[in-house]
Amino acid sequence: MKLRPSSCPLGSLARRQLLLAAPAVLTAGLPGLASAAPTGLDAELQALIDDPARPLASLSVLMLREGRVVYEGQFGHRWIDPSGAGRHRPVTRDTLFRIASISKLVVALGVMRLVEAGRLNLDADIGEILGYRLRHPGHQNVPLTVRLLLSHRSGLRDSAGSYVAPGQRLAEKLLPGAALFGSGKSWSPATQAPGQWFEYCNLNYGVLAGVMEKASGQRFDQLMAEQVLRPLGLSGGFEASQFSEAELANLATLYRKRATDDAVRWNTAGPWIVQTDDFGGKRPAPPAGLDGYELGSNGSLFGPQGRMRTRVADLGVVLAMLADQGRHAGASYLQPASVHALMTEHWRSAGPAAPNGDDLGGEFQAWGLGLQHFIDRSVPDAKSSRLQGDRLMPRGGQQAWGHLGFAYGLMSGLMLDPARRSGIVYAIGGTGADPEAHPGRYSSFPLWEERLQGLLWTRLQG
């Protein structure tokens, strides 16, 4: 297949230079990277982002086969010059993306580190850790646990917002009669009891961050740096104000081709519009409310549900560690029992006839502890003629464990087939078409993400 010209030759050149760089550069922190891409894959990925009907601003991908990284590719631009002068900055291996909800998987690693250290128990009553009784208003006799938070079965929901503002406290939002409780929309109806009902909820992770702070005696962002980022050698983190100059310079701005007014009008032929992470060359300010911050009061301040920025290459380190049963760089990072716990199902959809809290059209079919289980299910949508579900390949036959991310034009995925020790990581830094108007053919993913997943998994199996 002939390689289609890039929308910016510099982007393709930078990617090619990385692929041809010395192995010592390519393998830093990774268990063996191939020196060249599989034939034709570059062209297919370039064609995916250059699709005039569904353009993508940027793309970074990684493939792992039998525990070894066999391909990394970067396409498009981490920053697009709005002046029209064409001074775009290409995506490289060092580009950091705001990875959205894959952040939750990284948080789960921090949880298991605390569990292994004896500082946290998956089944302890989190109210006893936080210092106040926290129960579902309709189920006062059911203790809420870390296990329920990680598996989205706590009874919490995002209907009244997925975080608490600086200067406020989570307890004010969750306790009946408190200042921010309102009508209690942060909790599911009494008919949906904790442990019996799945509902994907960002607020779970704000609570979880507070629990981690109280259990460890450390602020969440600093705890994650100590327990996850530094031991695994990951770039970035949860607080951009603390990034190095090099990390800030390589941070991807996220884009959509849609108006930013309330009408949410898409214009695929129009310009790329900044959504987030364009700091104009300045260091971002830290979150308000850090002065005098009380541990455990508002873990959502640090974005545990989705604000981590890191490289796709660094997520490849996480992928390889999980594939190797918790080992990293020849040493144990997590015990195999902890990795097994993360990949143990705690919920599985019984299908369309048994409703649950998945409001994303069947994207969630099964869940473990902080990780989604992709069970290769493609089912008819009850409200339309199209198929939905979590299928990863056109012909089916591929299951995986991992997490997805979706926010501000970013779409990301980390998926591992533990039996084959193989998997994929990807980050899309901007979408040029409305995902709702371009559904996939056999899953709940938009068409370009479905095609990307299928392309990468097919290559791994071939």
Side-chain angles (χ1 to χ4, degrees), residues 26-103:
L26 289 170
T27 58
L30 290 169
L33 180 65
S35 60
T39 303
L41 183 55
D42 279 359
E44 291 176 282
L45 293 173
Q46 189 70 56
L48 183 69
I49 75 164
D50 286 341
D51 183 347
R54 292 169 287 270
L56 305 177
S58 60
L59 174 65
S60 183
V61 304
L62 177 147
M63 296 166 59
L64 187 84
R65 180 185 288 126
E66 296 180 355
R68 297 176 63 84
V69 176
V70 295
Y71 174 72
E72 291 185 59
Q74 297 84 36
F75 306 84
H77 313 100
R78 71 178 187 272
W79 182 80
I80 297 170
D81 184 358
S83 72
R87 296 187 296 266
H88 310 314
R89 298 168 192 161
V91 177
T92 72
R93 188 174 187 267
D94 288 324
T95 299
L96 289 82
F97 291 86
R98 181 169 175 156
I99 59 173
S101 286
I102 295 181
S103 304

Side-chain angles (χ1 to χ4, degrees), residues 221-298:
D221 57 328
Q222 297 168 348
L223 170 66
M224 291 300 297
E226 178 181 293
Q227 294 295 331
V228 183
L229 274 72
R230 286 198 288 270
L232 293 177
L234 309 185
S235 303
F238 285 83
E239 184 41 59
S241 65
Q242 299 173 7
F243 287 2
S244 69
E245 293 298 330
E247 288 170 333
L248 287 174
N250 282 295
L251 185 61
T253 298
L254 301 184
Y255 296 92
R256 291 187 179 109
K257 286 198 172 191
R258 76 175 205 188
T260 55
D261 58 20
D262 291 339
V264 189
R265 295 167 297 182
W266 290 83
N267 180 10
T268 299
W272 288 104
I273 299 174
V274 172
Q275 306 295 305
T276 191
D277 280 7
D278 185 1
F279 297 123
K282 300 178 181 179
R283 179 171 296 276
L290 284 189
D291 293 338
Y293 174 74
E294 179 186 341
L295 296 180
S297 62
N298 183 13

Side-chain angles (χ1 to χ4, degrees), residues 9-324:
L10 180 59
S12 290
L13 176 60
R15 173 170 49 79
R16 281 295 179 193
Q17 289 172 338
L18 284 167
L19 287 171
L20 297 174
V25 175
L26 289 170
T27 58
L30 290 169
L33 180 65
S35 60
T39 303
L41 183 55
D42 279 359
E44 291 176 282
L45 293 173
Q46 189 70 56
L48 183 69
I49 75 164
D50 286 341
D51 183 347
R54 292 169 287 270
L56 305 177
S58 60
L59 174 65
S60 183
V61 304
L62 177 147
M63 296 166 59
L64 187 84
R65 180 185 288 126
E66 296 180 355
R68 297 176 63 84
V69 176
V70 295
Y71 174 72
E72 291 185 59
Q74 297 84 36
F75 306 84
H77 313 100
R78 71 178 187 272
W79 182 80
I80 297 170
D81 184 358
S83 72
R87 296 187 296 266
H88 310 314
R89 298 168 192 161
V91 177
T92 72
R93 188 174 187 267
D94 288 324
T95 299
L96 289 82
F97 291 86
R98 181 169 175 156
I99 59 173
S101 286
I102 295 181
S103 304
K104 297 181 176 72
L105 185 155
V106 180
V107 172
L109 301 182
V111 168
M112 298 312 296
R113 291 274 287 188
L114 293 180
V115 170
E116 289 188 4
R119 300 159 79 181
L120 197 58
N121 187 312
L122 290 174
D123 297 308
D125 185 335
I126 62 171
E128 295 179 0
I129 301 171
L130 292 171
Y132 54 88
R133 182 181 173 87
L134 182 60
R135 302 286 175 91
H136 188 295
H139 297 275
Q140 290 289 327
N141 294 325
V142 180
L144 297 187
T145 66
V146 172
R147 190 182 301 275
L148 292 178
L149 293 172
L150 284 170
S151 59
H152 296 286
R153 298 178 301 131
S154 67
L156 288 168
R157 56 184 3 188
D158 290 328
S159 299
S162 59
Y163 67 97
V164 172
Q168 298 177 337
R169 303 170 68 91
L170 276 166
E172 296 175 319
K173 187 181 188 73
L174 302 178
L175 299 180
L180 303 176
F181 185 77
S183 61
K185 290 185 178 180
S186 291
W187 295 99
S188 65
T191 54
Q192 301 167 3
Q196 306 300 316
W197 180 264
F198 172 89
E199 181 163 357
Y200 185 89
C201 171
N202 291 295
L203 190 57
N204 280 318
Y205 279 73
V207 175
L208 183 59
V211 171
M212 295 170 71
E213 288 183 337
K214 295 290 283 187
S216 67
Q218 290 178 276
R219 207 174 72 188
F220 172 79
D221 57 328
Q222 297 168 348
L223 170 66
M224 291 300 297
E226 178 181 293
Q227 294 295 331
V228 183
L229 274 72
R230 286 198 288 270
L232 293 177
L234 309 185
S235 303
F238 285 83
E239 184 41 59
S241 65
Q242 299 173 7
F243 287 2
S244 69
E245 293 298 330
E247 288 170 333
L248 287 174
N250 282 295
L251 185 61
T253 298
L254 301 184
Y255 296 92
R256 291 187 179 109
K257 286 198 172 191
R258 76 175 205 188
T260 55
D261 58 20
D262 291 339
V264 189
R265 295 167 297 182
W266 290 83
N267 180 10
T268 299
W272 288 104
I273 299 174
V274 172
Q275 306 295 305
T276 191
D277 280 7
D278 185 1
F279 297 123
K282 300 178 181 179
R283 179 171 296 276
L290 284 189
D291 293 338
Y293 174 74
E294 179 186 341
L295 296 180
S297 62
N298 183 13
S300 68
L301 190 66
F302 306 101
Q305 76 284 351
R307 204 189 303 158
M308 183 179 178
R309 285 95 163 177
T310 196
R311 304 181 308 164
V312 164
D314 294 312
L315 293 180
V317 172
V318 172
L319 189 72
M321 180 274 295
L322 292 173
D324 288 339

Side-chain angles (χ1 to χ4, degrees), residues 300-380:
S300 68
L301 190 66
F302 306 101
Q305 76 284 351
R307 204 189 303 158
M308 183 179 178
R309 285 95 163 177
T310 196
R311 304 181 308 164
V312 164
D314 294 312
L315 293 180
V317 172
V318 172
L319 189 72
M321 180 274 295
L322 292 173
D324 288 339
Q325 291 292 296
R327 292 189 65 79
H328 168 67
S332 175
Y333 172 74
L334 286 179
Q335 295 297 317
S338 295
V339 176
H340 176 73
L342 293 170
M343 299 186 200
T344 297
E345 271 193 22
H346 285 67
W347 169 82
R348 178 177 286 226
S349 171
N356 58 77
D358 173 15
D359 60 355
L360 297 178
E363 184 173 303
F364 302 138
Q365 294 293 326
W367 213 267
L369 293 183
L371 279 74
Q372 180 177 352
H373 193 191
F374 300 87
I375 62 173
D376 190 34
R377 181 179 283 176
S378 184
V379 297

